[in-house]
Amino acid sequence: MTYIAKPRLHHPSLVKNKAGYTRRDYEGAVSTLCAGCGHDSISAAIIQACYELDILPHQVAKLSGIGCSSKAPTYFVGASHGFNTVHGRMPSVMTGANLANRDLIYMGVSGDGDSASIGLGQFAHVMRRGVNMTYIVMNNGVYGLTKGQFSATADKGSISKKGVANSDSSIDMVSLAILMGATFVGRSFSGDKHQLVPLIKAAMAHKGAAFLDVISPCVAFNNHAGSTKSYDYVREHNEALNRVDFIEGREEITTDYEPGTVTTVQQHDGSLLRLRKLGEDYDPSDKVAAMKRVQEGMHAGEVVTGLLYVDPSPKDLHDNLNTIDAPLNTLEAAELCPGTSALDRINAGLR
Amino acid sequence: MKPTDIANPDYFHKVVDCQWACPAHTPVPEYIRLIAHGRYSDAYMINWKSNVFPGILGRTCDRPCEPACRRSRVEDETLVKGKKEPVAICRLKRVAADYKDDDGIKASMPKAPAKNGKRIACIGGGPASLTVARDLAVLGYEIVIYDQDPKLGGFIRTQIPHFRLPESVIDEEVAYITDIGNIEFRHQRVDSMKKILGEGYDAVFVGSGAPRGRDLDVPGRKEAAANIHIGLDWLSSVSFGHISKVGKRVIVLGGGNTAMDCCRTARRLGGEDVKVIVRSGFEEMKASPWEKEDAMGEDIPILNMLVPKEVRHEGGKIKGVLFEKVKAEYDAKGRRSLVPSGDPDEFYECDDVLVAIGQENAFPWIEKDAGIEFDKWGLPQLGETTLQSTNKTVFFGGDAAFGPKNIIWAAAHGHDAAISIHKFLQGENVEERPAPGVNIVSQKMGIHEWSYDNAPTIDHRLKVPHRAKQEALKDIMAEVELGFDPQLAFKEAQRCLNCDVQTVFTGNLCIECDACVDICPMDCITFTENGEEKDLRTRLNAPAINPTQDLYIGNDLKTGRAMVKDEDVCLHCGLCAERCPTGAWDMRKYYVEMTHAEHACRKQ
Ligand SMILES: Cc1cc2nc3c(=O)[nH]c(=O)nc-3n(C[C@H](O)[C@H](O)[C@H](O)COP(=O)(O)OP(=O)(O)OC[C@H]3O[C@@H](n4cnc5c(N)ncnc54)[C@H](O)[C@@H]3O)c2cc1C
Ligand SMILES: Cc1ncc(C[n+]2csc(CCOP(=O)(O)OP(=O)(O)O)c2C)c(N)n1
Ligand code: SF4
Ligand code: SF4
Ligand code: SF4
Ligand SMILES: [Mg+2]
């Protein structure tokens, strides 16, 4: 943690985006996390993404559970809505909020403990339901806030700071999310903003359940030799399948790509995802192939990263429930209570 | 790019923009911190060692440090109403002089040791000679200073008006030097260099200044001579009390600081309608912006783009001056020339004209066969840093060396010449210059505690209080600036960013967590593939737009990337070091101090 607040002085070249804000305007309070925590880097990536997307801060709702990771929303996009919920219960609060006001941009921030241990059930259901959100797990393999016990995502055989090996099988959040029906799934690393920022932008533009598993080393309890979530381990085992260039619908495409090196996916909102190939051929729109590739990577000891699965035409909770376009919280008594005659008609239809 | 060699004392010295820009390399941030702590005497002594005349310079310095100050690059326009301003470095120096413990300072001043048997003549008693005298007297040299004027101080005493610099301040700081001992003042004009060389001195230092004011050459100049005065001569006559009034309508010709002193002096001697008229544009005037501001504040208009054409007179009495209007024209290379604008000539009535259109060197007393070569501009041929002339026993400094400059340059030359003289007389190679002393101290006191005040303030530059105008104009001896009081001084001192507290990077400790990158308010730090400087500058987190400032390159990283830090806009806030989990960043104070004659010889 830091005693002095980040000074308001800034680089002279800092520019305002279309929303009239500089990148610094998307910051939040000064972080109280341990110096060097990966979570802070992810916060910085979210700040960058929101700035680049010209997002209006007051249209963002940040929801989180409990944990160091779940504290992180305080440290980015200060001028937005926030809800620090109960441990593992962020998905249900998020679902409710999203139902009530579909117009906000929902960002769920959680940890591997919050989402894969106590909150595993809620995690599965929020993905199945296709809540339109960006759900980020800051994955450090431990319960950071409670001093570093192994979490459910710790790899079997990885060694704790005290030297004890983890004997349980690990939960792979990416596989689970794909399996449960998330329509945008990626993995990245807190130490690689070039990969992470465009992924966050693409996820935020995705109209459906978007999930990002971001490996985020815990410097205090899980950054030693023998850990599979340390800076060194992730860097050595990172197997990036692609690099995303996120292109907003109205932007002109200026980058030239070598033929055959790029796959383009157009999302529902018109935004383009240009996936630069980094080696093998990989088609992220093939769900079965994606699950296979992720599992293979796990067996080979790779940390497979990149945009792993995307359904370009997803359906979200509101589509499935066929709700009206207006946010429910804006409906007035007249619309919510159409009167006795309408009730009578409905009742008659059920007789 | 190659990894930065931080063992080279110049590397971090350059980061301290003010100190690097100061000709005498005064350790500015150190004295500013001491002022903030109320340790005025310590702040004074740091200045005294480096620039010899803190009380004088704190009122009059040309302050090349201020345009260089980092603060003016990093302030946020919206917080300071569009005007990014440097720290008031110069006026803080005066605070140290005003609030120091005078008796304590006096008692701690050095005293001359036993004479070492070598004698040195200094020609001229200005700041350059006084610095040489100070640096060498403490080493046992016997110094004889010659000056044609009755008191020591040179132009500081005879040219700078007392409403800018009270004489008591000059007396005090001259006395700190002469009280050292082994310094003799002879009130005597030197008419022959050969005669001096014949008097058995071991070395001669020429600090005779640039004493000649350029004259006006237009029709009517001679006829109206009674009311046309050369600025330099006029100002010294005022200083000596020979002149105590001037006509009601005064025209000052020229756009330098001498012109500003002339017009403000005229306002105090009865001039009611005083105007400055310059050939160039207002912006290109040589006078410092603050001098122009002060003059205009005293109801003195500055008219520009007017070239004097003729002095009109009647019966030996001046009527006024006729000017031709000019405009600026630029050639293909962007060089400016002033050409007639075609507008009708303008005539301004006046009772007196003060000519302040330039200052020249003159050495009529140095014989052609004294072994001292001059160049085609009449300046002595000197070693650039040694200041040694072609006669190996004769050294130059101050305005006499490279033409008119200012006091701080005179002091810097004095130090350099003293080193050369000492080395020369000790039989050492004068070309080998002593390296500066560097003292490095980590500022870390605890996990989040630093032994300097690391939080940058967002306060706008504070103004020095002035005497009320009516009062100031009534009395030529009344000092206009009243100086900061301790509260204002503290507030202004807090604006300093402590640029001498350096960010020091140790690559093999870094785990590349990006914490420093994310926290840095100025986006100074980038981890990226190394490359050529030009290319690197464009692909950092924020572009490195100021090529005069270095990129700090750190290596030894596990990923093989380089740590690239743009020194340009770093606030020295220490947040990078505070967020770094491994101590790969540390905040270390690099106290750089120039080596003066005292420690310049290997034999010592
Ligand atoms: C009007 C005016 C205002 C100025 N204001 C400022 C200011 O605000 N800040 C600033 O930094 N600088 C200022 N300057 C410039 C500054 O005064 C000089 O740059 C500085 O004094 C030079 O110091 P010096 O030691 O080289 O010589 P000087 O100070 O010029 O001293 C030389 C001395 O040598 C004497 N001398 C010369 N020839 C002989 C001889 N043959 N025999 C005996 N004695 C001799 C002269 O009488 C003089 O006393 C000003 C200059 C002028 C003209
Ligand atoms: C209902 C409940 N059970 C247990 C806890 C204790 N607890 C606090 S944080 C935490 C785990 C957090 O781990 P994770 O989500 O991975 O966050 P991290 O701190 O690692 O970022 C636990 C078990 C709690 N706060 N509430
Ligand atoms: S901020 Fe302070 S240390 Fe930095 S250049 Fe300005 S005066 Fe010097
Ligand atoms: S001290 Fe560190 S954090 Fe502060 S501006 Fe400089 S590089 Fe950035
Ligand atoms: S905070 Fe320290 S360890 Fe982390 S990247 Fe910066 S220098 Fe390296
Ligand atoms: Mg965790």
Side-chain angles (χ1 to χ4, degrees), chain B residues 328-337:
Chain B
E329 250 178 26
Y330 296 87
D331 67 10
K333 283 190 182 138
R335 273 180 312 214
R336 191 204 64 164
S337 54

Side-chain angles (χ1 to χ4, degrees), chain B residues 65-86:
Chain B
C65 53
E66 291 193 17
C69 171
R70 176 169 304 255
R71 184 94 203 174
S72 56
R73 298 198 298 274
V74 301
E75 286 201 324
D76 175 341
E77 295 86 345
T78 57
L79 296 176
V80 293
K81 299 188 203 85
K83 207 159 173 245
K84 298 180 173 194
E85 294 254 39

Side-chain angles (χ1 to χ4, degrees), chain A residues 1-4 6-13 23-24 31 33-36 40-41 44 193 219 223 231-232 235, chain B residues 74 76 79 448 454-456 458 511-515 518-519 521-523 542-543 558-559 569 575 578-579 581:
Chain A
M1 76 169 271
T2 301
Y3 279 175
I4 67 165
K6 193 162 167 173
R8 283 168 71 189
L9 303 177
H10 56 77
H11 195 275
S13 72
R23 194 190 74 248
R24 295 287 306 276
S31 172
L33 301 179
C34 303
D40 280 336
S41 277
K193 287 203 193 66
V219 275
N223 193 38
Y231 283 105
D232 288 350
R235 284 211 169 90
Chain B
V74 301
D76 175 341
L79 296 176
H448 310 290
N454 62 327
I458 52 175
I511 57 171
E512 295 173 73
C513 68
D514 271 2
D518 297 335
I519 195 72
M522 304 307 281
D523 304 319
K558 280 217 177 103
T559 58
V569 289
L575 282 176
E578 209 163 306
R579 292 302 294 174

Side-chain angles (χ1 to χ4, degrees), chain B residues 519-595:
Chain B
I519 195 72
C520 176
M522 304 307 281
D523 304 319
C524 289
I525 306 168
T526 308
F527 289 86
T528 185
E529 305 310 320
N530 205 336
E532 290 305 316
E533 174 163 358
K534 227 176 127 214
D535 152 59
L536 263 183
R537 281 183 173 272
T538 61
R539 54 183 176 85
L540 303 178
N541 286 334
I545 41 193
N546 183 352
T548 67
Q549 295 273 331
D550 289 329
L551 297 183
Y552 181 179
I553 309 290
N555 63 345
D556 284 344
L557 296 174
K558 280 217 177 103
T559 58
R561 297 184 297 175
M563 184 294 298
V564 186
K565 182 192 163 215
D566 179 12
E567 297 282 13
D568 184 25
V569 289
C570 170
L571 300 176
H572 300 262
C573 60
L575 282 176
C576 47
E578 209 163 306
R579 292 302 294 174
C580 178
T582 65
W585 283 113
D586 190 21
M587 302 307 292
R588 293 189 197 149
K589 184 168 88 185
Y590 274 63
Y591 186 71
V592 179
E593 202 176 23
M594 287 300 109
T595 302

Side-chain angles (χ1 to χ4, degrees), chain A residues 140-153:
Chain A
N140 55 14
V142 288
Y143 299 167
L145 192 69
T146 55
K147 303 281 169 275
Q149 302 83 352
F150 274 130
S151 78
T153 65

